């Protein structure tokens, strides 16, 4: 047991929380309850648990590896798009379909980062994986909507 393995544990707890946050959001969108108050508490806890150990592990072992750069960029985008969507849902300024599309794309982005963090490919493959999985996840919403409509 060393500081690095404790940091990795905390980081993975933060990553699990990202998927908990997305699950709560999905349930909120499906059943129409206000998920933002819970996510305003869990979101910052997840961010601290991901970023502090993540930056530490990066500093002591990995540096600016391609998959780390893509991980940081994608994580910032997930947080920013999530906050933007959540605020607009609360204010009634976004329709349910757009909110679901945003949710699906962020699930794809988070899955892409999960792949990059475990497989650790180079910058281009890391970015490509996030892009492809986000497009597939977002596109699955359109396919499902057509199937439900027909
Ligand atoms: C959605 C966001 C993220 C998720 C889901 C995630 C998930 C993970 C997971 C599951 C691992 C363990 C991989 C393994 O042990 O094989 C890991 C490792 C790592 N993550 Fe992240 N991560 C995210 C964001 C970040 C960010 C923003 C940073 C940098 C600040 C970062 C830096 C690292 C580093 C350096 C490791 C390497 C640990 C190792 O393999 O020894 N991660 N991440």
């Amino acid at each position: 047991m060393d500081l690095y393995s404790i940091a990795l544990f905390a980081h993975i707890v933060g990553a699990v929380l990202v998927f908990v946050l997305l699950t709560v959001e999905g349930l909120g969108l499906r059943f129409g309850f206000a998920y933002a108050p819970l996510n305003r508490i869990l979101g910052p806890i997840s961010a601290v648990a991901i970023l502090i150990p993540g930056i530490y592990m990066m500093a002591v072992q990995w540096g600016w590896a391609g998959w780390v750069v893509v991980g940081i960029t994608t994580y910032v985008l997930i947080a920013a798009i999530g906050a933007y969507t959540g605020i607009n849902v609360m204010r009634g300024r976004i329709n349910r379909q757009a909110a679901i599309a945003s949710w699906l794309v962020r699930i794809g982005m988070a899955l892409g980062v999960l792949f990059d963090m475990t497989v650790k490919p180079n910058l281009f493959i890391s970015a490509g994986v996030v892009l492809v999985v986000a497009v597939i996840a977002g596109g699955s919403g359109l396919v499902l909507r057509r199937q439900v409509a027909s």
Side-chain angles (χ1 to χ4, degrees):
M1 192 173 93
D2 57 7
L3 187 56
Y4 190 96
S5 49
I6 302 290
L8 181 57
F9 166 72
H11 184 74
I12 292 174
V13 170
V16 170
L17 277 178
V18 168
F19 289 94
V20 170
L21 282 157
L22 286 165
T23 305
V24 171
E25 180 178 343
L27 290 171
L29 290 171
R30 173 68 182 83
F31 297 108
F33 67 84
Y35 60 86
L38 179 61
N39 283 7
R40 268 206 297 263
I41 298 167
L42 285 183
I45 296 175
S46 162
V48 168
I50 285 195
L51 291 174
I52 293 177
I55 291 167
Y56 164 75
M57 292 187 292
M58 185 185 151
V60 299
Q61 187 153 336
W62 303 97
W64 293 99
W67 55 274
V68 174
V69 173
V70 172
I72 295 174
T73 311
T74 310
Y75 181 68
V76 169
L77 283 174
I78 292 172
I81 301 170
Y84 175 83
T85 307
I87 289 168
N88 282 304
V89 166
M90 259 186 343
R91 296 187 180 161
R93 285 205 214 128
I94 187 172
N95 67 41
R96 193 163 161 271
Q97 272 161 18
I100 290 173
S102 157
W103 173 69
L104 285 170
V105 167
R106 277 175 286 130
I107 290 177
M109 291 165 85
L111 282 176
V113 175
L114 203 56
F115 177 89
D116 290 347
M117 294 277 146
T118 44
V119 180
K120 305 182 182 19
N122 68 31
L123 180 78
F124 295 104
I125 296 180
S126 297
V129 166
V130 170
L131 195 71
V132 168
V133 183
V135 168
I136 292 174
S140 72
L142 292 176
V143 174
L144 285 175
R145 216 173 68 210
R146 272 199 211 112
Q147 278 178 358
V148 169
S150 63

